[in-house]
Amino acid sequence: MFVTVVIKDTLIIKPERFKKDIVTAVEDEIHMKYSNKILPDVGLCVSIYDFISIGDPHIYPNQQGNYFVEASFRLIVFKPFVGEIITGRIMGSDPEQGLKVAIGFFNDIYIPPYLLAQPCKYDEETSQWQWIYEDNALPYAHPQEIRFRVNSLTFNTTIDSNPPHEEKAPMIITGRANEPGLGLTSWWTQSGDEEQ
């Protein structure tokens, strides 16, 4: 779920940070530039892990007194792999899109209807998807805990010159809950709790 990636970047340090030592100034700039941002085809940057190298600062003319530092560093990145099983919480249901799921720090997770346990149906009265199991309707209720498998990871890197009303998230996880052991965790733990 979390990986480290090596980044090499030239960072701009503004004069107001000159009073800090170079490592702290560079670290602050990395946090501002990368933390909680999506890097296309890489993932969601969480934090800096460590430095590989920090070059000497350079000042160039006509740069408002800023200095430039070339640095190599490792970032901790959230990028689940396809097939990984994750536990999250159902944040909503939609008759066309299926379930919206969040895992606390990341909310762009969707489980489409065709990847829910089958047979399933959308109940208009409760606004919830339901798994029909042996004549019982088991609801995918909000905000229940759900276990799902990562089906795909999509990065949206194109900029639409005519943007739609709703912007696409820069990274979307599509999950599946149509295998034994997946779905609401309460479905699979109740029988085990009774045996203990």
Side-chain angles (χ1 to χ4, degrees), residues 12-183:
I12 302 170
I13 310 300
K14 296 186 177 177
E16 56 264 28
R17 293 216 193 98
F18 287 2
K19 58 189 172 193
K20 297 182 178 181
D21 66 88
I22 189 167
V23 174
T24 304
V26 168
E27 191 171 3
D28 288 350
E29 186 61 30
I30 290 168
H31 280 299
M32 285 199 333
K33 187 171 182 178
Y34 290 98
S35 291
N36 207 27
K37 306 274 191 332
I38 302 287
L39 287 180
D41 299 322
V42 176
L44 172 67
C45 299
V46 178
S47 180
I48 186 167
Y49 182 71
D50 64 4
F51 286 103
I52 297 168
S53 67
I54 298 176
D56 293 328
H58 296 283
I59 296 176
Y60 300 106
N62 303 320
Q63 293 297 325
Q64 291 94 31
N66 300 326
Y67 70 76
F68 297 78
V69 178
E70 192 172 280
S72 293
F73 49 92
R74 287 191 292 175
L75 292 176
I76 299 171
V77 173
F78 170 66
K79 185 182 183 182
F81 59 87
V82 172
E84 182 173 2
I85 294 176
I86 299 176
T87 301
R89 290 209 176 270
I90 296 172
M91 302 309 290
S93 292
D94 182 88
E96 293 180 8
Q97 291 187 335
L99 302 179
K100 179 167 179 153
V101 178
I103 56 171
F105 60 91
F106 189 79
N107 301 326
D108 294 309
I109 303 169
Y110 299 91
I111 305 175
Y114 69 93
L115 292 176
L116 294 172
Q118 300 297 321
C120 67
K121 69 171 187 175
Y122 186 78
D123 183 47
E124 296 284 349
E125 194 173 309
T126 62
S127 299
Q128 294 177 341
W129 280 95
Q130 299 175 341
W131 175 30
I132 309 305
Y133 179 71
E134 294 182 353
D135 298 324
N136 295 309
L138 302 175
Y140 289 96
H142 168 274
Q144 293 294 312
E145 194 173 74
I146 186 169
R147 188 179 299 119
F148 63 94
R149 187 182 298 278
V150 175
N151 194 64
S152 67
L153 194 60
T154 307
F155 291 95
N156 295 309
T157 56
T158 56
I159 298 172
D160 194 344
S161 57
N162 216 349
H165 295 296
E166 190 176 332
E167 282 186 34
K168 285 186 176 180
M171 183 172 88
I172 296 173
I173 297 171
T174 302
R176 64 185 313 123
N178 56 0
E179 300 170 13
L182 301 182

